[in-house]
Amino acid sequence: MFRRVFLIVLDGLGVGALPDASRFGDETSATFQHIFDAVKPNVRTLLSLGLGNIAYHSEIPLISYPRAFWGRMSEKSAGKDTTSGHWEMMGIIRKGEPRTFPNGFPQSLIDELSRHSGYEFLGNKPASGTEIIKELGEEHIRTGKLIIYTSADSVLQIAAHKEVVSLEELYRVCEIARSICQGEWEVDRIIARPFIGSNRDSFVRTYERRDFSLTPPRNYLDNLLEKNIPVFLVGKLGDIFPNAQGAKNIHTGNNQDTMSQLDVLVSSEFFGLIFANLIDFDSLYGHRNDTKGYARALEEFDQWLIFFLSKLSKEDLLILTSDHGNDPTTSSTDHSREYAPILVYSPSLEHTKLKKHLEDRESFADVGATIVDNFGIKPQLAGKSFLDVLKQF
């Protein structure tokens, strides 16, 4: 039905607590609504597509005929993290909750990592990434020991100053950690966190972060690639799907870089799927409880979206969604268990006056099922395609 599909994930943009959010301490979370309460960002483009119809906010009027199909998606997987969210979009439902280490990693794991990498480590506790480099960065520079920490997510993060440890060396240590963190020590992601600066007051993380993910089971990207449907992974998605053999990986470090790459792709001649992640909402603002920064990033995306929509043809389909929530107005700095918005737009569907409500989808996997269905592949993993709904128009 569509020659090109653009799937863009606004990382961490939830639209209200899921029914089971209390299990995670997230029953009051509502990322977009609370940002709107606090700042009232100018996001006219997103609202014209139907975001206000999804978020149910008293100060945002419902639109009878939004430009896009709109709805909410529940997460069936047990977690509320990046890996689970993106994998579920591609048809993988994770039954068990990802392994976390709320008290730091076992000393036996640290010893094993030291033995294989040749480094000693500082920290080994849950921490904010920006705060732990302030706390331990100077000691790291003085001793050469690497900073290791975790969070409420299933992650092991290693931070190092670029003038003390080269990027290649930091990535090498993270690859060793990836090989070690299996079984009882399994974490979803090993994250390299390079930083620069001369002292605790000037330390800042760079955009050369790299994620080393678990290898996902068979998923809808594999289905597409086996049928020679081109797949472009933009942002950090090449790290989340490291075994997507044949996909073109375009690694970017921030929202602006990702949007620039999308501008290049939308203006080029190609056929297939572009799967992109906009990381700043989550990493720079949600995790740092920076509500104003989050609102500003939404406004910047909204302004960019005006021109991106104008470049789409009637043979293009745009799907905007999220992988979890990250409410910056709560006391938590972690992800939140929320509904994900879904906005589905094409110039060929914009002007219909018929109902465009996609209802509440039972799984993020409906996105992947719809995409493979569009390219003539019967969905056989999790998820229910909504392509037939679009075909009605």
Side-chain angles (χ1 to χ4, degrees), residues 7 72-77 83-95 218-221 223 241 275 319 321-323 340-342 360-373 377-387:
L7 171 56
R72 301 186 302 181
M73 298 193 300
S74 296
E75 185 169 7
K76 272 193 173 180
S77 298
T83 301
S84 296
H86 286 85
W87 283 12
E88 183 165 323
M89 287 180 214
M90 291 299 114
I92 303 166
I93 306 297
R94 304 182 76 186
K95 301 301 183 183
R218 181 175 176 79
N219 60 81
Y220 284 133
L221 294 182
N223 291 169
F241 296 94
F275 189 3
I319 303 174
T321 188
S322 185
D323 53 344
I342 181 167
D360 283 352
R361 314 303 301 185
E362 293 183 359
S363 169
F364 293 1
D366 289 8
V367 168
T370 302
I371 291 169
V372 296
D373 191 13
I377 301 169
K378 183 179 179 180
Q380 295 184 329
L381 302 173
K384 182 178 179 181
S385 171
F386 50 79
L387 190 67

Side-chain angles (χ1 to χ4, degrees), residues 13-15 30-37 41 43 47 51 55 60 298:
L13 187 68
V15 288
T31 301
F32 178 73
Q33 292 92 321
H34 289 164
I35 292 170
F36 195 87
D37 283 334
V43 288
L47 295 180
L51 181 58
I60 302 175
L298 283 172

Side-chain angles (χ1 to χ4, degrees), residues 185-219:
W185 294 339
E186 181 179 281
V187 293
D188 280 359
R189 289 177 293 155
I190 310 296
I191 305 179
R193 290 290 196 178
F195 66 96
I196 56 175
S198 57
N199 56 53
R200 71 184 315 276
D201 296 321
S202 62
F203 290 146
V204 60
R205 297 191 299 193
T206 73
Y207 287 122
E208 291 143 321
R209 158 188 172 159
R210 186 174 167 193
D211 292 30
F212 300 79
S213 177
L214 285 174
T215 300
R218 181 175 176 79
N219 60 81

